[in-house]
Structure formats: structure tokens, C-alpha cells
Amino acid sequence: MADPLYELLTPYIDSSSSSRPTSTSGDGVTNKYLERLHTLSLSSLTSQEPQSLAQSSHSTLLSIQSLSSRSNAAIIASSDHFANLKNVLPLLAEEASRLRTEIPKMDERAATFSTAYSRSTENEVLDRRKRALLMERNADRLSDVLDLPNLLSSAISSSAAQGASSTASYAAALDLFSHIKRLHLLYADSPLISSIYAQTESAMHDLTSHLIAALKSQSIKLASGMRTVGWLRRVAPELDTGVNGTGSHEGLLGYLFLLCRLSTLVTTLSALEPLKQLADAETDTRLRKTPKPTTSKGSNGSAWHGGQQSERYLKRYIEIFREQSFAIISTYKSIFPSSADAQTTEGFKLPFKSAGLKSLPSLTSQASQKEKAENMPSALSTFPPYLADLLFDTLREYLPNVLDKTSKESLFTQVLYCAGSLGRLGGDFSLMLPMLSSGLKEESDESEDDDESWVEVMRKHRELAGRLEALASGVGSSKGADKGGSVRIKS
């Protein structure tokens, strides 16, 4: 129906249009419009349809203008590309041919790369890459390991600043060293761990020095001494090995402890240097004024009258000596109980007399030094005689200056109390006092009076000790009687 209508309307269509179709079979828009015309009445065709066509034409024109305004640049660019397409297509064909030629070579090289860098084969580049990746993944752990020497040094510095009371700092330093030592055992082939271990060993030498200095502290107590010796056992276990065959297990630590405390005792006694200088002045004056003793008591022309400064010095010296020596030996027995039980009297030959305060020779791999170390006596068996000899040397030097009988007896009593104090710990040197008397005979012209003074003082001291012992036993028996019932007391 549309084609006949189209044929009727063909003469009225603009003949200048070269693109006018001859049939509507392939034009859907035209067929749709022609079918719409069949549905309109004659009045609609004459009145409304021209207005509708004019409105549609105007709307289409506006749309075309808007499209041309928006797409002007794109259309021009498309036109330019289309004009350049005849030059691009030959180049594309040439590059495609080249790519087709290079693909086999690329495939061959990819196969070669896959074979060379396969995980199943060893390759230095892959190994370096794996190590780099492993290091990147463990960067935090490596940083922590590298910080261990600094942490250890900080802990040691903190413990040295705080002194022997810094229990937490010493414990932290020892825990860090144990951890580094364990890492060194696990990774002995690692240069990094070996370097860190070498740094920590140097730091532990400093810690050992701090601990030895702590043993020389003036205010060290039993608890701090036991902690310090325990830390030394962990820091330097080679010092804890036995050196004699007497069953003593204190090792070199016992000798080290006694030497440190002896150094502290000498330092404490050196604080009496002003009094010692005054006593030395009295000694010089006495030696200048007092002639050589003769057999006749009345032959002395100018007798020595003095000794007050020597008496003051000896009193302070004996007092400090008694307190410090008792504290040293009692602390030693508490820290090394096994060595205290093994103490014998075979070592009273004063092996430290010639050595003074010099340190013991270090044990090395040489056979002579090992044999010498094995034959060393127990430290505790030789220490009390050395202390007694140290006291006797001072008494021999300054006691002849004291001529007042009361003052001299007071000093004798002090010496006996000192001997009794050490006697409670197994170091009684009261039997060596006659050796002191014989030495004083050579220095003083009143040796007989000195002997009588010694005898009198010792007799009074023994009587007083016997009374105290009897009183103590009487109190103990009375307490036992109160617990058990009735008791008979002799008057």
C-alpha cells in the first residue's frame, strides 16, 4: 500500500534531490510515514500535517546544528585520520610482518631465560635475589640483633652507675649475654653473629671489672655480696673451678673475694693516715731520745715519755681491723659454705705475705701454672694468719711508743677481743700473741713490764670469758629447768 502511495506522491517530491529512492522497500522510515498518512483524514492532511512537518523539520535542523557544533573538532580529526589512513596501513602491514618474523626469536629467548633462571637449577643471580628478599623480610629481626651490643652496653653502663644495688640492670645484661651466646652457638658460621659476639665479649669484660669493683665497695652487705658472686659465676664461669685437692669448691672466686675485701680493708685503714703520721713522728722522736737498752734499769739518761698519738692510732686501727676482718670472714663463709667446711690448718704459712695485694697469676694452658694452681691451699686457711700478721706488724711498729701501763693494757685487751672475735669464725690468733711479745722485747727496754702486762691482761681476759661462759650456761640451764619443771640451784 505504501508503494502505490509513494508513486502518487513522487511527482510532488523535489526533483533536485539526487538521493531520492525509487522504492520504499528498503526504507523503513518512509514506509512508516506513508502508513501514518493512511490513517489521517483529509482535514488533518490539509491543516495539521504541514505544521507537523514544518515543526519536525525545524527540530531536525536544530539537532543537526547542535551536532555539528559539538562534533566539529572530532569530525575534522576523523577526516584528517581518514586522509592519513592510506599512509598508515602500509606501515602497519610492514610492522606486522616484522613482528611475525621476530616472534620465533622472542620465543627462543624466553625459553632460554626460563631454563637459566628456573628454581630447579642453581643460579648466582637467583641466590642473591633470594638473600635480598630474605633480608628484606627479616629486616626488623636483623635490626634487633644488631642492637643487642648497644643494649648490653647500656645495661652495663646503667648497672655501673647505680652500683651493686642495680639488680635489674645486672640481670638484664646477663640475660642479653646468654641470648647472644645462644645465637652464637646456633649460628657459629655467621660472620654477623660472630662480630656481635666479639663485641659482647668486650662488654662482658667491662661488666666483670664493674663486678670486681663492686666487691671492693665499702658498704657491701651479705645479700649484695652473694648477688655479686653469683653474677661473677655467670659472667666468668672459669673462675668457679676448684684449684686444690682439699674438696674446696670456691675456686678462684674465693681468692678474688678475699683479695677485694682485703683491698677494701687496706683502703679503710689508709683513712687513718693523719693519725699514722703523728704516730710516725712519735716513733722518730722516741728513736732519737731513747738510747739503746742496757741491763741496768737506772742507766737510761733520758727516758721516752709520750705515745698518746700512737695510742689513738692503734685504738682506731684495731677497732677498724676487728670489725672489717670479722665481716670479711663471716661473709666469705656465708657465700662459700663448702669451702668453709673444708678449711684446715695446713695453710698457716702466710703465702700472701710476700705477694702483698698483688693479684694471683692468671691460669693458662701451661703445665707449670696448672700444677702451681692445683697445689694452692684453701683461701680461707691462709687469710686469717695473713690478717694477724698485718696487725702484728703495726703493733710491733707503734706499740713501743706507748709507755703508759693503763693505755697499754687497754690496747692488749683490744687485741684479745679482736682475736676472740675472729676465734668465733675459726681464726683465733691468741696463741700467736707471745710472738708479738718477743718482738716487742727488741724494740722496748721495758720488756719485763710488757711480759707482765701481757700475762695480766690475758689472765683477766680469760677469767672474764670464763665468768661470761658460766653465766651463759647458768641462764641456759635455768631456762631448761623452767621448761622441764623443778630445778635445784647450788648457791
Side-chain angles (χ1 to χ4, degrees):
M1 187 65 184
D3 287 342
L5 183 58
Y6 181 74
E7 290 176 359
L8 290 175
L9 295 176
T10 299
Y12 299 98
I13 299 176
D14 187 8
S15 58
S16 62
S17 178
S18 60
S19 60
R20 181 179 62 188
T22 59
S23 175
T24 62
S25 59
D27 192 355
V29 177
T30 304
N31 289 334
K32 186 176 180 180
Y33 180 71
L34 292 176
E35 290 178 358
R36 180 176 176 275
L37 290 178
H38 284 290
T39 60
L40 297 177
S41 62
L42 182 60
S43 59
S44 296
L45 289 174
T46 57
S47 60
Q48 297 178 0
E49 189 64 19
Q51 295 178 359
S52 178
L53 290 176
Q55 185 178 2
S56 298
S57 176
H58 182 69
S59 172
T60 302
L61 179 61
L62 292 177
S63 298
I64 291 173
Q65 291 177 352
S66 177
L67 177 63
S68 62
S69 177
R70 291 195 310 269
S71 304
N72 181 33
I75 291 172
I76 294 175
S78 299
S79 176
D80 294 340
H81 289 310
F82 182 76
N84 195 31
L85 188 61
K86 60 181 179 181
N87 298 325
V88 174
L89 287 177
L91 293 176
L92 179 61
E94 183 181 356
E95 294 295 332
S97 176
R98 183 180 175 184
L99 178 63
R100 186 170 57 251
T101 305
E102 296 293 334
I103 281 178
K105 296 180 181 180
M106 185 179 65
D107 181 70
E108 182 181 356
R109 293 184 179 181
T112 304
F113 179 83
S114 176
T115 304
Y117 295 99
S118 176
R119 293 184 177 180
S120 59
T121 59
E122 295 183 359
N123 188 276
E124 184 179 356
V125 177
L126 287 179
D127 292 340
R128 287 202 305 267
R129 185 180 181 187
K130 288 178 181 178
R131 287 195 296 268
L133 292 174
L134 182 62
M135 185 176 296
E136 181 183 3
R137 287 195 300 268
N138 296 277
D140 296 337
R141 296 181 179 178
L142 289 175
S143 178
D144 294 340
V145 171
L146 291 173
D147 288 339
L148 287 177
N150 293 332
L151 290 175
L152 182 61
S153 300
S154 300
I156 293 175
S157 301
S158 176
S159 60
Q162 297 176 9
S165 60
S166 58
T167 305
S169 299
Y170 280 121
L174 292 174
D175 291 340
L176 281 173
F177 179 68
S178 299
H179 179 64
I180 296 172
K181 194 174 183 179
R182 185 165 53 253
L183 289 177
H184 181 64
L185 293 175
L186 292 175
Y187 308 102
D189 299 333
S190 174
L192 176 63
I193 300 299
S194 299
S195 175
I196 292 175
Y197 183 71
Q199 297 179 35
T200 55
E201 279 190 329
S202 177
M204 293 310 291
H205 288 315
D206 296 338
L207 178 59
T208 305
S209 301
H210 294 327
L211 292 174
I212 293 176
L215 288 179
K216 296 180 180 180
S217 175
Q218 293 282 352
S219 60
I220 190 172
K221 301 298 181 183
L222 176 60
S224 58
M226 294 182 72
R227 284 197 303 268
T228 305
V229 171
W231 290 327
L232 278 173
R233 283 193 173 105
R234 292 180 59 184
V235 174
E238 65 275 4
L239 296 178
D240 200 26
T241 57
V243 294
N244 53 7
T246 61
S248 175
H249 300 286
E250 82 275 11
L252 292 178
L253 279 178
Y255 292 91
L256 179 62
F257 178 83
L258 290 179
L259 285 175
C260 290
R261 299 314 300 163
L262 179 60
S263 175
T264 305
L265 173 61
V266 173
T267 304
T268 305
L269 293 175
S270 64
L272 302 176
E273 187 64 25
L275 292 177
K276 185 175 182 294
Q277 293 177 358
L278 296 176
D280 289 336
E282 286 187 345
T283 302
D284 295 339
T285 304
R286 178 180 62 84
L287 293 178
R288 286 196 307 268
K289 290 186 176 182
T290 304
K292 291 293 184 178
T294 59
T295 56
S296 175
K297 289 186 179 181
S299 61
N300 291 338
S302 60
W304 160 249
H305 300 284
Q308 291 83 6
Q309 302 301 332
S310 298
E311 179 190 359
R312 289 177 56 195
Y313 172 67
L314 289 176
K315 281 186 176 181
R316 290 293 299 145
Y317 186 95
I318 298 171
E319 180 182 358
I320 294 174
F321 181 87
R322 179 181 60 82
E323 294 175 355
Q324 295 293 327
S325 59
F326 182 83
I328 292 172
I329 298 178
S330 62
T331 305
Y332 180 90
K333 284 193 171 186
S334 300
I335 296 176
F336 306 99
S338 59
S339 62
D341 295 338
Q343 178 186 2
T344 60
T345 58
E346 297 177 358
F348 279 67
K349 297 181 180 180
L350 307 181
F352 298 108
K353 175 66 177 178
S354 60
L357 295 179
K358 295 181 180 179
S359 59
L360 294 173
S362 58
L363 295 178
T364 62
S365 58
Q366 299 180 2
S368 59
Q369 292 185 354
K370 285 185 177 180
E371 183 179 358
K372 183 178 180 180
E374 291 176 357
N375 296 328
M376 289 175 64
S378 173
L380 190 59
S381 64
T382 57
F383 190 66
Y386 179 79
L387 291 178
D389 201 19
L390 186 66
L391 176 62
F392 286 0
D393 288 343
T394 304
L395 291 175
R396 289 190 187 98
E397 184 175 359
Y398 297 104
L399 194 57
N401 296 341
V402 182
L403 298 181
D404 184 67
K405 184 177 181 181
T406 305
S407 300
K408 187 173 293 188
E409 289 181 356
S410 176
L411 292 174
F412 290 161
T413 305
Q414 259 191 295
V415 174
L416 289 175
Y417 276 122
C418 182
S421 176
L422 290 180
R424 294 166 55 189
L425 301 174
D428 189 0
F429 57 87
S430 59
L431 296 179
M432 300 171 64
L433 295 179
M435 298 171 57
L436 177 63
S437 299
S438 61
L440 292 177
K441 290 179 181 180
E442 302 175 359
E443 302 289 339
S444 175
D445 57 347
E446 299 181 4
S447 58
E448 296 180 0
D449 295 340
D450 290 342
D451 291 340
E452 293 177 0
S453 299
W454 272 113
V455 173
E456 184 67 20
V457 170
M458 292 186 69
R459 184 181 62 80
K460 291 181 179 179
H461 183 76
R462 292 183 180 277
E463 289 180 358
L464 180 59
R467 292 175 184 176
L468 292 175
E469 184 178 357
L471 181 60
S473 61
V475 172
S477 61
S478 63
K479 288 184 178 180
D482 292 340
K483 291 181 181 179
S486 61
V487 65
R488 179 178 299 174
I489 303 177
K490 292 183 179 180
S491 57

